[in-house]
Amino acid sequence: MTSTPVLNRILSASVILLIVLLAAVFLGISTGPAGTGFKEVLNSLSGKQPDDQFLESVIWRLRFPRVLMAALVGAALSLGGLVFQAILRNPLAEPYILGVSGGSAIGAIIGILLGLARFPGVSLCAFIGSMGTLLLVLFISSGRTILKKDSLLLSGVIINAFCSAVIMFLISMAQDYRLHSIMYWMMGDLSSADLSQIGILACMVIPCFLLIFLLAHAMNALLMGEDMAGSMGIHVRAVIAGLLVTTSFMVSVTVCYCGLLGFVGLVMPHMLRLLLGPDHRVLVPACLIGGGAYMIICDMLARVLPRQGEMPCGVITAMIGAPVFIFLLRRARR
Amino acid sequence: MNAALTAHTLSYSFKNNRVVQGVSFTVSAGAFFVVIGPNGSGKTTLLKMLCGIAKPETGTVEIFGRKLREYGRAALARAVALVPQIMPLNFPFTVQEAVLLGRTPHLGLIGLERHADLEIARQAMEFTDIDHLSQRKIDQLSGGELQRVFIARAICQQPRIILLDEPTASLDLSHQVRIMDLMEKLRVEQGITVVLVSHDVNLAAMYADTLLLLEKGHIAGSGSPAGVLCREVIESVYGCPVVIDKNPLGQTPRVTPVPALSSKIGE
């Protein structure tokens, strides 16, 4: 096969970001409240006896699954942002801002209250919730007005407020022991990671990653407008529907496992678009890898920064993401 | 001559409003075919039906003797390319990337271009005289440059018919002529059939070999510019008095609207 210029760009961007990801993984498993263990990680990777048995088991039993979970979640949410930005042709679109995450959370909590298992029951409820809010956002903001861009954000804000209210209502009505960690979950939490759950999550989101990559070229065409994309042989409605459903599914299962992590879909897609240009065949893999690295770092900060215990990871993502959002909003209004 | 495109009794409704009604016509292969008509006469909708983006309510479109519905999406895109009206773009592709998107119907699912595709894009940019802009971002271009990028993208699609929606709207005089010259060159040098929708009756008359005049979704006239542009028809379709004489450059008709203010009319 002759090499293609695009393939080279995909590969070079991915390799560089993979190095960043590996560095993030190394940093993520070496640091934590129980102590820093760069040497332990290196020792056990090279098969030597560890100096500190306890730290070694913390590294591989606690931190490593958590880092894997963070990578998966960061990848899924970053990709979610990228897809929504492309389809809605709005640089500010993101699962959390659009209210899709909030809808998933309502679905998930209803699923938990009904006593369903996290997979497939709760995940399915979350998916229904996310599709519901997505359709609502699209319905509210549809129409050919100049304000379309703003109304999309506005409807997202309203839906988010409504979702929070419903969630709080459900919690106070239920007083259920199953919801004991709900406040953490509302702010996004990766502490429940274990390998079997990560396996299930991976089985659900990785096919979504592949499907979205296959549609990356169609997303490029869609950026030129639906008519132009249609005239180039793209089945516009099928591509949009496929991307929306896939992305909602991906985001909703992520929310089931990790709660509401805000603004994650904003930071990496925009940073990578600045560095790599708007070609989605390059951006999709780049967002997966870069988004994973970003979330690992955020989660590490959430574990390391507090004097005692840890804080929800969503605190960090929101503190980084919200200023980025404001910056993008200013730029878009220029 | 062979028919490149045939429309049989096309109709289209938008919110219970018939915007195109029973329109039939034939475009010969290698023709320069221009659709004119007042705002809201259904020109854009007609164009969208010709390339399969809008589905006609009744009627059929044939492309080179085959029904449009019998084409697959990609096969249709390899036969017919569309240059829609310019719209603002948020995502800054480079000129080269935007032009290369025209290769979409020739590529596989993931859309990985090969060097041959890059060469086709380079030729298309050379043809439209934008090769010096290839690494510029498309949101930094002027209207005339952007229009040429979109035309290059359509050429890159290697179609046999190219459809354009108001390609000269909001361009200055020199760019209007430049775009129309480009279309004529495309027709003569590459044998591509040009179907163009235009507001500009005089520009249309200068370049078209066939005009189709639409009025509220009906055909109000079709044929050579000299045949279609007669005073009675134009006055009734556009609802304003006009004077028609010959273009000083040649034999094509020239339409001059008559202002309502008598002070603006000299002797």
Side-chain angles (χ1 to χ4, degrees):
Chain A
M1 193 180 116
T2 52
S3 77
T4 65
V6 195
L7 205 57
N8 290 342
R9 283 179 55 210
I10 297 174
L11 289 178
S12 50
S14 301
V15 166
I16 293 171
L17 284 162
L18 266 178
I19 295 170
V20 176
L21 177 66
L22 287 178
V25 169
F26 181 69
L27 204 62
I29 58 176
S30 327
T31 44
T36 310
F38 294 117
K39 217 173 75 189
E40 274 68 22
V41 174
L42 289 176
N43 277 349
S44 61
L45 281 178
S46 56
K48 281 187 207 152
Q49 267 302 313
D51 303 338
D52 186 340
Q53 291 280 357
F54 171 70
L55 191 54
E56 204 213 8
S57 82
V58 166
I59 285 169
W60 296 110
R61 297 220 175 140
L62 291 178
R63 290 181 194 164
F64 185 64
R66 198 167 161 159
V67 162
L68 279 183
M69 180 73 122
L72 270 181
V73 168
L77 292 177
S78 295
L79 188 59
L82 184 73
V83 173
F84 282 135
Q85 285 150 29
I87 295 180
L88 303 171
R89 258 172 274 140
N90 187 331
L92 298 168
E94 197 263 353
Y96 181 80
I97 294 165
L98 289 177
V100 172
S101 302
S104 312
I106 293 186
I109 291 177
I110 291 174
I112 294 169
L113 291 176
L114 290 174
L116 301 174
R118 190 181 287 194
F119 177 81
V122 176
S123 303
L124 193 64
C125 289
F127 176 54
I128 294 168
S130 72
M131 281 308 295
T133 44
L134 183 63
L135 293 177
L136 199 59
V137 170
L138 294 177
F139 173 72
I140 297 173
S141 62
S142 69
R144 300 198 173 276
T145 64
I146 297 172
L147 293 173
K148 198 173 172 187
K149 191 158 281 181
D150 289 353
S151 68
L152 192 70
L153 295 179
L154 207 53
S155 38
V157 169
I158 304 300
I159 287 174
N160 259 333
F162 180 71
C163 288
S164 313
V166 171
I167 291 167
M168 279 312 183
F169 180 78
L170 289 173
I171 293 169
S172 33
M173 295 304 281
Q175 287 299 353
D176 194 303
Y177 71 94
R178 281 168 294 204
L179 296 177
H180 66 282
S181 61
I182 205 77
M183 287 313 291
Y184 255 56
W185 187 76
M186 290 274 293
M187 284 304 290
D189 182 24
L190 294 164
S191 58
S192 66
D194 74 53
L195 283 174
S196 67
Q197 287 185 347
I198 291 166
I200 296 172
L201 183 62
C203 288
M204 288 195 281
V205 295
I206 288 174
C208 298
F209 297 168
L210 289 174
L211 190 62
I212 290 171
F213 179 69
L214 290 180
L215 293 174
H217 186 68
M219 270 197 272
N220 286 344
L222 275 176
L223 289 184
M224 305 289 280
E226 288 173 20
D227 285 348
M228 215 188 269
S231 76
M232 292 191 280
I234 304 285
H235 194 323
V236 173
R237 269 198 235 159
V239 168
I240 290 183
L243 283 170
L244 286 180
V245 171
T246 311
T247 309
S248 300
F249 177 75
M250 188 174 77
V251 169
S252 61
V253 292
T254 309
V255 169
C256 280
Y257 283 85
C258 302
L260 295 173
L261 291 156
F263 304 98
V264 179
L266 219 48
V267 179
M268 269 297 139
H270 279 284
M271 192 190 279
L272 293 170
R273 206 179 277 121
L274 278 178
L275 292 172
L276 303 169
D279 188 336
H280 285 84
R281 293 165 298 178
V282 181
L283 282 178
V284 167
C287 262
L288 289 174
I289 306 170
Y294 172 70
M295 190 57 112
I296 291 172
I297 300 294
C298 287
D299 181 52
M300 185 204 76
L301 291 174
R303 283 183 285 130
V304 173
L305 288 179
R307 289 263 184 85
Q308 279 184 328
E310 58 180 75
M311 61 173 118
C313 183
V315 172
I316 303 288
T317 62
M319 280 170 71
I320 299 173
V324 172
F325 175 84
I326 292 166
F327 168 76
L328 292 170
L329 185 65
R330 289 277 308 169
R331 207 177 56 167
R333 282 170 178 280
R334 204 175 48 199
Chain B
M1 253 216 271
N2 290 335
L5 197 155
T6 316
H8 297 289
T9 57
L10 289 179
S11 297
Y12 192 88
S13 295
F14 185 71
K15 289 186 179 163
N16 296 326
N17 203 354
R18 270 280 162 99
V19 284
V20 175
Q21 201 158 1
V23 170
S24 303
F25 59 90
T26 300
V27 181
S28 327
F32 199 125
F33 188 94
V34 180
V35 183
I36 55 172
N39 291 335
S41 56
K43 304 187 294 291
T44 298
T45 309
L46 182 63
L47 209 60
K48 286 185 182 176
M49 284 193 282
L50 297 183
C51 62
I53 291 179
K55 208 173 163 217
E57 205 174 298
T58 64
T60 52
V61 176
E62 277 179 26
I63 312 278
F64 294 106
R66 253 176 86 198
K67 289 222 169 66
L68 191 143
R69 265 181 260 128
E70 293 166 9
Y71 283 82
R73 277 169 203 281
L76 182 62
R78 290 191 292 265
V80 185
L82 171 74
V83 180
Q85 286 179 38
I86 290 188
M87 54 171 283
L89 294 158
N90 271 335
F91 293 91
F93 284 109
T94 62
V95 167
Q96 189 192 27
E97 286 171 327
V99 172
L100 259 177
L101 276 175
R103 297 305 296 161
T104 303
H106 298 268
L107 303 173
L109 184 60
I110 309 175
L112 299 178
E113 306 89 3
R114 287 152 191 277
H115 288 287
D117 299 301
L118 286 176
E119 178 56 23
I120 292 166
R122 195 192 58 74
Q123 284 169 5
M125 289 190 282
E126 204 173 83
F127 189 84
T128 53
D129 194 23
I130 50 167
D131 40 353
H132 60 290
L133 301 171
S134 73
Q135 295 311 313
R136 285 268 289 281
K137 301 265 196 275
I138 52 175
D139 56 354
Q140 299 166 350
L141 302 179
S142 71
E145 290 168 336
L146 192 60
Q147 192 58 267
R148 280 183 285 149
V149 170
F150 287 163
I151 290 172
R153 186 208 55 76
I155 293 173
C156 209
Q157 217 165 312
Q158 295 183 315
R160 297 171 70 189
I161 304 173
I162 185 168
L163 310 176
L164 301 100
D165 195 356
E166 306 265 10
T168 57
S170 77
L171 297 186
D172 61 32
L173 278 180
S174 81
H175 278 100
Q176 290 181 11
V177 171
R178 202 166 170 179
I179 296 285
M180 296 299 273
D181 281 346
L182 199 59
M183 288 301 111
E184 177 65 9
K185 203 171 110 189
L186 195 65
R187 186 181 77 85
V188 173
E189 289 181 10
Q190 303 194 14
I192 295 179
T193 307
V194 177
V195 178
L196 192 149
V197 160
S198 179
H199 260 325
D200 193 325
V201 179
N202 289 320
L203 209 55
M206 280 170 71
Y207 286 88
D209 45 43
T210 311
L211 282 184
L212 182 78
L213 175 63
L214 283 186
E215 181 192 20
K216 294 179 187 134
H218 294 275
I219 294 182
S222 73
S224 68
V228 173
L229 299 177
C230 66
R231 195 170 66 88
E232 292 74 25
V233 175
I234 297 300
E235 287 189 340
S236 101
V237 169
Y238 284 87
C240 91
V242 296
V243 175
I244 296 182
D245 58 356
K246 286 272 176 267
N247 182 324
L249 291 176
Q251 293 304 303
T252 56
R254 176 176 67 174
V255 179
T256 310
V258 179
L261 293 170
S262 54
S263 64
K264 294 290 172 195
I265 306 170
E267 270 316 306

